[in-house]
Amino acid sequence: MALLPVDEALRLLLADKMPSGHENVALHQAGNRVLATSIFASFNQPPFDASAMDGYAIRFADAEQLPVPLKVIGESAAGKGFDGTLKSGEAVRIFTGAPLPAGADTVVIQENTKQENDQVTLLEDVEKGRHIRLSGLDFRDGECLLQTGHVLDPASLSLAAASGHAKLQVYTQPRAAIFATGNELVPAGTVPAADQIVSSNSYGVAEIVRRNGGVAEDLGIVPDDLAEIEQSIHNVASSDADILITLGGASVGDHDLVHKALINCRVDLGFYKIAMRPGKPLMFGTLARDGKKPLLVLGLPGNPVSSLVCSYVFLAPLVARLAGKAPMTRVASAVLAQDMAENGNRRDYARATLTYDSNGELLATPLPVQDSSMLTVITRADGLLIREPFAKAAKRGDRCPILLIR
């Protein structure tokens, strides 16, 4: 069977995928969520003409000839404005954030005045309308402040609160259930025996789910037993998970049982085996469920680096699409800092570090070791250099696309 090109696999994976729903959440729970509806201001901000400085509220007409003494008739403070109207020859002591009294049109900062008892003298020239924040300066009642699809960052949450919203309608976070398969696997924190290895893939894969707007549940390790793998698939199918992610068992060995289990469980496999390196034994399919949306199934390789590379290429955009946001990964153009050999018959994702030259050009340096079992290598990488099948040898200074993973 011919290997499926990466771009065709991505097209099949993302076709018709949309956010699964929306929900109202409190502001303190809305960080990094995605707006499902636009936010409109419920009032003006500031709601009144306010002083931007400590000083005195005056009528500009009273300040045309200096020095000029004015009678201080009261005070306007934040939360307790002056209840009255300013007349000719009068001033009101005012503080930052306080409402501008009726009749006033200018604020004089206190450093430019001299006050004795109930009289203040203006000492320097005054600019009309100075030091006043007009009502609606920040936003006005009914103004659209944040649009559908906006990812709620710290500033956005503050803006939502300031404009009158205690709850926000956001897209539902896609839920991913993850389990690894393999008799050789032991949980993290366990000292492995001579024929065992620590199960590590799920931690990185779960974090990619979270960084792209999803919720991840690690179901642990399932042994290489067909019946147990099938039962685990059925358990996830009956849950509220949107995606099942399996780790390992996707190849063709005697103990690689995940592919067979998915077929037995009536998963409709959209594709199996991709023309990429690392990560060829990748599976994607859907499982119909009564009364629910189909369960999306992504079978990742058990090789640690292959699992992560496939997650950056396929899982990140899938989860992001379901969450209504852009994926954490994106393709940029970089200049090679060293030569690269010709490529084979699969798209290659070479781990690389990134720097900038004196002109601000992005420089990519492939790491010297590309063994797909080495987590230390991909941990050092900033991106994955993309080499197309049968690409000719590349020279230092050539441009190459790179998938940014940081």
Side-chain angles (χ1 to χ4, degrees):
M1 181 175 65
L3 299 179
L4 188 67
V6 172
D7 291 340
E8 177 63 13
L10 270 172
R11 187 191 67 78
L12 294 171
L13 179 81
L14 299 178
D16 303 322
K17 302 300 186 299
M18 298 289 290
S20 58
H22 49 77
E23 60 183 341
N24 287 319
V25 300
L27 279 177
H28 70 274
Q29 298 174 316
N32 204 37
R33 301 290 295 273
V34 183
L35 281 176
T37 58
S38 297
I39 289 179
F40 296 85
S42 301
F43 38 70
N44 285 0
Q45 178 71 0
F48 44 78
D49 293 346
S51 177
M53 301 289 286
D54 291 348
Y56 295 88
I58 67 165
R59 290 159 37 101
F60 178 75
D62 290 334
E64 293 182 354
Q65 293 183 349
L66 297 179
V68 58
L70 300 173
K71 182 180 180 181
V72 180
I73 62 171
E75 178 180 287
S76 182
K80 189 176 182 181
F82 175 75
D83 186 15
T85 301
L86 201 65
K87 299 177 182 177
S88 179
E90 297 177 337
V92 169
R93 182 78 167 102
I94 196 165
F95 299 92
T96 302
L100 190 71
D105 59 11
T106 301
V107 171
V108 181
I109 61 174
Q110 61 188 29
E111 293 91 328
N112 295 340
T113 66
K114 180 180 179 181
Q115 183 175 2
E116 294 181 358
N117 300 320
D118 64 347
Q119 182 173 286
V120 63
T121 300
L122 310 185
L123 303 176
E124 297 188 16
D125 288 338
V126 176
E127 180 181 344
K128 186 175 182 179
R130 184 71 168 151
H131 305 308
I132 296 173
R133 296 188 178 116
L134 297 177
S135 175
L137 174 66
D138 195 359
F139 52 78
R140 304 195 66 82
D141 186 15
E143 180 181 350
C144 182
L145 302 178
L146 298 170
Q147 294 186 337
T148 300
H150 184 88
V151 180
L152 291 160
D153 58 14
S156 303
L157 293 173
S158 293
L159 177 58
S163 60
H165 301 273
K167 292 185 175 182
L168 300 175
Q169 193 169 79
V170 296
Y171 287 126
T172 305
Q173 293 177 291
R175 307 185 69 85
I178 305 168
F179 67 75
T181 62
N183 291 335
E184 77 282 13
L185 300 178
V186 294
T190 303
V191 178
D195 56 355
Q196 295 176 324
I197 59 172
V198 174
S199 179
S200 60
N201 298 11
S202 60
Y203 299 99
V205 170
E207 184 60 18
I208 289 173
V209 170
R210 285 188 284 267
R211 291 193 179 198
N212 285 279
V215 176
E217 181 182 8
D218 188 351
L219 302 179
I221 302 167
V222 178
D224 288 324
D225 180 272
L226 186 60
E228 291 203 39
I229 296 172
E230 290 176 2
Q231 185 59 55
S232 297
I233 295 170
H234 286 304
N235 291 343
V236 173
S238 63
S239 73
D240 61 354
D242 301 290
I243 309 170
L244 166 61
I245 303 168
T246 64
L247 303 172
S251 193
V252 294
D254 292 343
H255 299 285
D256 294 315
L257 303 175
V258 173
H259 180 265
K260 185 175 181 179
L262 293 176
I263 296 299
N264 290 350
C265 291
R266 300 184 182 278
V267 173
D268 182 13
L269 286 179
F271 57 76
Y272 176 40
K273 295 186 178 180
I274 309 300
M276 65 183 291
R277 183 177 56 247
K280 181 176 74 170
L282 177 78
M283 299 178 289
F284 172 72
T286 57
L287 176 59
R289 298 186 287 185
D290 292 338
K292 297 181 182 180
K293 289 188 175 182
L295 177 68
L296 306 178
V297 181
L298 191 64
L300 298 177
N303 180 291
V305 175
S306 299
S307 178
L308 285 172
V309 169
C310 286
S311 293
Y312 286 129
V313 175
F314 292 98
L315 180 60
L318 175 62
V319 174
R321 180 72 62 89
L322 296 175
K325 64 189 301 185
M328 61 172 283
T329 52
R330 66 182 179 86
V331 176
S333 177
V335 174
L336 290 177
Q338 66 182 49
D339 297 347
M340 294 189 75
E342 63 183 15
N343 193 29
N345 66 343
R346 291 183 278 162
R347 178 183 283 183
D348 190 28
Y349 288 88
R351 280 68 76 199
T353 58
L354 293 171
T355 55
Y356 289 91
D357 66 12
S358 58
N359 297 319
E361 274 291 5
L362 192 63
L363 297 178
T365 303
L367 287 158
V369 179
Q370 294 288 327
D371 191 296
S372 61
S373 70
M374 296 181 63
L375 286 169
T376 52
V377 175
I378 196 169
T379 300
R380 292 169 54 198
D382 302 302
L384 307 173
L385 278 168
I386 302 172
R387 306 287 314 289
E388 294 300 336
F390 305 109
K392 296 180 180 179
K395 299 292 185 182
R396 178 180 177 179
D398 289 349
R399 286 199 165 273
C400 186
I402 185 166
L403 183 70
L404 304 180
I405 62 175
R406 298 277 183 251

